[in-house]
Amino acid sequence: SFFRDSKRRCLSVEETAERHLLLESLKKATQELSENERELICRLYVYGESLRSYARAKKMPVTTLQARHQKLLKKLRKKLEK
């Protein structure tokens, strides 16, 4: 739940507001990504697919996908730091 942490404890109002702001920032940052970049993020972090499985589905070497993944995470970090 949005209002609970990983140990199922209720979050304070401040923690809930902070989580909301972070999610809004992440949503905005991902909207600025290319379709392929958004698909990679979604498949790995929303659907929980492994890099290996996604690479196989895209018929790509895992190492290529790992490099793209790392580059994409750096790109998102920069956007979130603004």
Side-chain angles (χ1 to χ4, degrees), residues 1-31:
S1 166
F2 186 80
F3 302 104
R4 296 188 182 275
D5 65 10
S6 61
K7 295 181 181 177
R8 307 293 299 154
R9 294 179 294 201
C10 287
L11 298 174
S12 70
V13 172
E14 292 83 11
E15 290 169 322
T16 301
E18 189 175 292
R19 184 175 281 191
H20 178 74
L21 289 173
L22 180 60
L23 286 173
E24 285 299 313
S25 296
L26 186 58
K27 181 180 176 183
K28 183 180 177 193
T30 56
Q31 287 173 343

Side-chain angles (χ1 to χ4, degrees), residues 33-41 54 58 68 72:
L33 300 176
S34 72
E35 185 63 36
N36 287 336
E37 291 171 329
R38 277 194 305 277
E39 180 183 357
L40 175 58
I41 292 297
Y54 185 63
K58 296 299 260 183
R68 287 184 185 176
L72 179 54

